[in-house]
Amino acid sequence: METLDQNHLKSLVKKFLVEHNCLKTYDHCISVGEYAYELGKNYLDEPDKARIAGYLHDISAIYPDDQRIAVAKKMGIDLYKEEIELPMIIHQKISKEIAFNEFNVTDPVILSAIECHTTLKEDYSDLDLVVFIADKIKWDQQGEPPYIEGLMIALDHSLEAAAFYYIDYLLNHGIQVLHPWLNEAYVKLKYDLGYN
């Protein structure tokens, strides 16, 4: 899949999501993929990987929140108690499985970026950061994200600063559940950025 042309992948993603009545998710996935590619050109040797991860990051939207625990268990995905408490978060892990099983994505770097695009994780790569940030900038809600101005200013400094800004924003604005990966990423970003 990694060598497939972007238009072919777009058409496969569209077909998959439209068949499951998720056209809005398709628009979001393509938007994130294109932005991740553009952002990745500044930070990655292979920005096409960011586009692929972006196109597929929310492919699991075919499963509503109330089905995600059962789907994850069927796929053999280990779940944290925080994911059981807030099943929406599980979608990143399910998307990774669908990317692997249905779209034949085997590159572990791309799969990692899909798997942690909502929470990030402690041992993040530049690709993980690019897709994480692209997803927050091209969010799937109405209007402008409330954190966008500060995030873009932080992004002028670095990917790490932007990711830290976003997580810090969440932690200070009543996050529903603190996912262990998000917390670990926050601690590592804080250390890497020298914020003590």
Side-chain angles (χ1 to χ4, degrees), residues 69-155:
I69 294 170
V71 167
K73 287 181 176 174
K74 189 175 178 185
M75 290 178 166
I77 297 170
D78 291 329
L79 297 176
Y80 290 103
K81 64 178 173 46
E82 291 83 0
E83 292 167 330
I84 293 168
E85 191 178 333
L86 187 66
M88 183 282 291
I89 312 173
I90 305 170
H91 81 278
Q92 62 181 3
K93 291 180 175 179
I94 297 174
S95 286
K96 175 197 169 190
E97 291 300 314
I98 295 173
F100 180 77
N101 292 311
E102 302 287 334
F103 291 85
N104 304 311
V105 174
T106 56
D107 186 324
V109 183
I110 296 173
L111 292 171
S112 171
I114 294 169
E115 184 180 41
C116 70
H117 76 265
T118 302
T119 60
L120 205 54
K121 61 184 177 182
E122 185 176 22
D123 56 339
Y124 52 77
S125 68
D126 284 346
L127 180 59
D128 293 335
L129 287 168
V130 164
V131 176
F132 176 76
I133 292 163
D135 183 47
K136 308 309 173 270
I137 292 171
K138 296 296 180 181
W139 78 335
D140 58 358
Q141 307 298 312
Q142 292 295 317
E144 287 280 296
Y147 50 78
I148 193 69
E149 189 176 340
L151 178 62
M152 297 309 288
I153 291 168
L155 186 55

Side-chain angles (χ1 to χ4, degrees), residues 9-23 25-26 55-56 58-63 75 94-95 98-99 101-103:
L9 178 55
K10 272 166 91 166
S11 66
L12 291 175
V13 169
K14 186 170 190 175
K15 182 174 185 289
F16 185 85
L17 288 171
V18 167
E19 282 174 357
H20 292 90
N21 298 309
C22 294
L23 185 58
T25 300
Y26 168 76
Y55 283 178
L56 293 167
D58 273 354
I59 201 76
S60 61
I62 63 169
Y63 299 113
M75 290 178 166
I94 297 174
S95 286
I98 295 173
N101 292 311
E102 302 287 334
F103 291 85

Side-chain angles (χ1 to χ4, degrees), residues 35-36 38-44 120 124-134 137 151 153-167 189 193:
Y35 192 87
E38 292 302 323
L39 183 59
K41 287 196 286 191
N42 299 319
Y43 298 100
L44 306 171
L120 205 54
Y124 52 77
S125 68
D126 284 346
L127 180 59
D128 293 335
L129 287 168
V130 164
V131 176
F132 176 76
I133 292 163
I137 292 171
L151 178 62
I153 291 168
L155 186 55
D156 284 340
H157 294 281
S158 68
L159 291 172
E160 290 82 359
F164 180 84
Y165 177 87
Y166 174 77
I167 298 173
L189 286 162
L193 290 162

